[in-house]
Amino acid sequence: MKFGSSGVRGLASELVGRPSGLYAEGFARRLRSTGFQQGKVFVGRDLRDSSPTIAEDCMAALAAAGFQPVDCGPIPTPALAFYARLHGAAALMVTGSHIPADRNGIKFYGPKGEIDKADEAAITRHVAELSDRYPWPPAHADRQAGHEQALAAFRDRVDGILPPGALSGMRLGVYQHSTVAAELLVEVLRSYGAEVIPVGKTETFVPVDTEAVDQETMARVKGWVREFEFDAVLSADADADRPLVIDDSGELFRGDLIGLATALFLKADIVVTPITSNSGISEAFGFGVRRTKVGSPFVIEEMDAARQAGGIIVGFEANGGVLLGSDCVVNGKILSALPTRDSFLPILAVLGTMASSGKSLSGLRETWSLPVCASERLENFPVEKSRGLMRKLADRDALQHFLAPFGSVLDVDETDGLRARMTSGEIIHLRPSGNAPEFRCYAEAASHDRASEIVAMALERARDTTLADESEAV
């Protein structure tokens, strides 16, 4: 287990029990060292099978450490983070987000919001120091209930984002699968006047990666768009901090397009987004753009730095999760800052833009005329293989050889992984996942087919190159 780009992750079997308690104790020690001596810690979880047990373990450890755990049950991560922020309290979310059901994770929030890299390092040190002498299990301790209160507070927040009846006349699908947003998203969209049809709910956990939606899922969604004549299909990942938006033609409305729509909707002055977001998102849209490494801690750090310039600050990632770095006025009301990924604000921003412009989602995409992007990943690709491949490709001759089928490399951005711009203008970005045994590729090209072709070929070459290196080693 280790911290990645969003929380600590590992196999569920390695996280249940003492390890979860150990990380919760490490978090408690970090809270105390930063001045938060005691008080409430709000605890939420997603719907995967291992999450209730891990949440119980964490609450027991927090109580033993002198804090008051508040059980918020299955709840969207942004709702938990918002509720904790309202109370000036800490929070802990048990979720593996988009990774497979046999894995899980924990996200941590201090009284000021999502923890940063310094917090992660401190928690990791505490865990290492305690690993051989942490007592388990702790004595049973009571916890308070906070599920309904936290959901109600978040519902109040999203209820004012659009005018009443703003979505009247829209026919929307909500792909419910196993996301904690399944019911709340339906309720919110209906409250704005949309006709909403829930589809695809499952009793078993489904890992939905909004950056790499599998072909089987896309085929199902396209079928629903045709069958029900949807204007859009909306969903989210397991813990609802990343939105999934499918347009009226059954095509994926990529996360960076969702982020762009949200920034325009909120009239952002500064946009902070990782290097993986569409390169066409630039100052031409009327806001300043700051690029970061991948991961919400890096986006949050840059949003904090951007506050000195004032104005409305919006952060978003290529997965569609939007972070609001400053208060802003929306629909005549103050929408307070929420510097953690949220799926509800961007979904409502996209739909609100559709309503106000009178354009379909596919029409909005054409209006912006951005480069076409595609992304996919090699799953179950061990971290050691990813690191070995990236070390090899750090040599420019090796990288040029690897990318030879796509032409000549013009320049390389090493902000996060290797993002190569080719003489053709196409972009190929190779990057190991920061929180799962996966290797990712992002591409930009003139057409969706070409971008998808580049991604598929590059990932195939990554797999073949790694296998060839292993054979040579033997």
Side-chain angles (χ1 to χ4, degrees):
M1 295 179 299
K2 66 170 187 173
F3 279 98
S5 57
S6 183
V8 64
R9 299 275 175 86
L11 289 170
S13 59
E14 295 175 350
L15 193 54
V16 167
R18 187 174 182 273
S20 333
L22 188 54
Y23 270 94
E25 170 66 21
F27 178 47
R29 293 192 175 205
R30 177 57 174 174
L31 289 174
R32 284 196 294 272
S33 71
T34 54
F36 190 61
Q37 297 298 323
Q38 57 186 357
K40 294 179 178 180
V41 178
F42 296 97
V43 178
R45 59 180 172 85
D46 67 15
L47 296 175
R48 65 185 71 213
D49 290 343
S50 60
S51 291
T53 301
I54 294 173
E56 287 289 333
D57 294 337
C58 290
M59 286 189 285
L62 289 168
F67 290 90
Q68 173 60 65
V70 179
D71 186 2
C72 295
I75 188 172
T77 290
L80 179 74
F82 177 68
Y83 194 53
R85 191 174 175 87
L86 281 180
H87 289 265
L92 180 156
M93 179 72 182
V94 177
T95 179
S97 187
H98 62 281
I99 60 178
D102 65 337
R103 297 177 179 275
N104 214 326
I106 306 172
K107 296 178 180 179
F108 301 97
Y109 296 82
K112 296 182 180 180
E114 190 171 326
I115 65 170
D116 59 23
K117 290 299 178 182
D119 295 320
E120 290 179 2
I123 294 170
T124 300
R125 285 196 301 271
H126 288 313
V127 168
E129 292 165 0
L130 290 166
S131 60
D132 295 329
R133 52 190 178 84
Y134 179 64
W136 189 261
H140 174 75
D142 292 332
R143 72 285 314 269
Q144 297 178 6
H147 178 69
E148 295 302 325
Q149 299 93 322
L151 279 180
F154 189 67
R155 181 64 187 271
D156 286 343
R157 174 183 176 82
V158 300
D159 275 349
I161 292 175
L162 298 178
L167 305 184
S168 296
M170 285 192 187
R171 188 176 176 86
L172 305 174
V174 171
Y175 174 35
Q176 295 188 301
H177 61 94
S178 52
T179 174
V180 287
E183 305 301 333
L184 183 59
L185 187 54
V186 171
E187 293 172 11
V188 169
L189 297 178
R190 283 177 175 166
S191 73
Y192 282 115
E195 178 187 358
V196 182
I197 299 175
V199 292
K201 191 167 186 178
T202 60
E203 295 301 322
T204 56
F205 182 80
V206 177
V208 170
D209 186 345
T210 59
E211 275 188 285
V213 186
D214 63 82
Q215 293 182 355
E216 181 182 351
T217 297
M218 287 303 303
R220 292 183 71 198
V221 176
K222 283 186 178 182
W224 293 327
V225 170
R226 288 193 299 267
E227 179 183 355
F228 297 105
E229 299 181 339
F230 287 137
D231 294 302
V233 176
L234 298 317
S235 189
D237 65 340
D239 65 319
D241 70 343
R242 299 162 48 156
L244 178 65
V245 178
I246 307 296
D247 72 15
D248 48 297
S249 62
E251 297 296 332
L252 179 67
F253 198 74
R254 279 181 51 89
D256 37 21
L257 295 182
I258 296 171
L260 173 59
T262 308
L264 294 173
F265 176 81
L266 295 175
K267 299 179 175 59
D269 295 297
I270 297 175
V271 160
V272 180
T273 190
I275 193 68
T276 47
S277 290
N278 195 302
S279 64
I281 297 171
S282 66
E283 283 78 2
F285 284 97
F287 43 65
V289 180
R290 303 190 183 193
R291 299 279 180 168
T292 72
K293 293 178 68 174
V294 174
S296 53
F298 299 109
V299 175
I300 292 168
E301 181 181 12
E302 190 59 37
M303 288 197 305
D304 287 341
R307 285 199 186 93
Q308 297 178 1
I312 297 172
I313 303 167
V314 175
F316 63 83
E317 299 187 89
N319 55 40
V322 168
L323 306 90
L324 186 54
S326 61
D327 294 351
C328 59
V329 178
V330 179
N331 190 32
K333 302 175 183 177
I334 297 292
L335 185 66
S336 60
L338 183 59
T340 195
R341 283 193 303 257
D342 179 15
S343 62
F344 282 79
L345 171 59
I347 284 174
L348 292 175
V350 167
L351 296 176
T353 301
M354 285 174 58
S356 62
S357 67
K359 293 183 178 180
S360 64
L361 276 182
S362 54
L364 286 177
R365 181 190 286 110
E366 293 172 3
T367 298
W368 294 327
S369 300
L370 295 176
V372 179
C373 298
S375 61
E376 190 48 271
R377 70 202 191 282
L378 291 176
E379 297 182 89
N380 300 314
F381 198 80
V383 173
E384 296 76 17
K385 288 187 178 182
S386 292
R387 289 174 177 168
L389 179 59
M390 295 306 287
R391 282 194 298 269
K392 179 175 183 176
L393 298 182
D395 177 83
R396 287 296 174 267
D397 291 337
L399 181 63
Q400 177 58 68
H401 177 73
F402 182 88
L403 297 177
F406 311 107
S408 299
V409 176
L410 182 62
D411 56 53
V412 180
D413 187 319
E414 297 184 30
T415 300
D416 197 333
L418 296 169
R419 184 178 174 89
R421 185 160 58 100
M422 314 301 286
T423 53
S424 64
E426 295 174 338
I427 291 176
I428 306 167
H429 187 175
L430 304 170
R431 174 185 167 270
S433 171
N435 52 29
E438 299 172 346
F439 188 81
R440 292 180 179 268
C441 178
Y442 310 79
E444 292 186 14
S447 70
H448 181 268
D449 287 346
R450 174 58 178 166
S452 298
E453 178 186 33
I454 290 172
V455 168
M457 289 176 61
L459 289 177
E460 182 179 2
R461 287 181 68 77
R463 183 188 293 110
D464 292 347
T465 299
T466 303
L467 289 173
D469 290 344
E470 290 175 346
S471 296
E472 289 180 8
V474 173

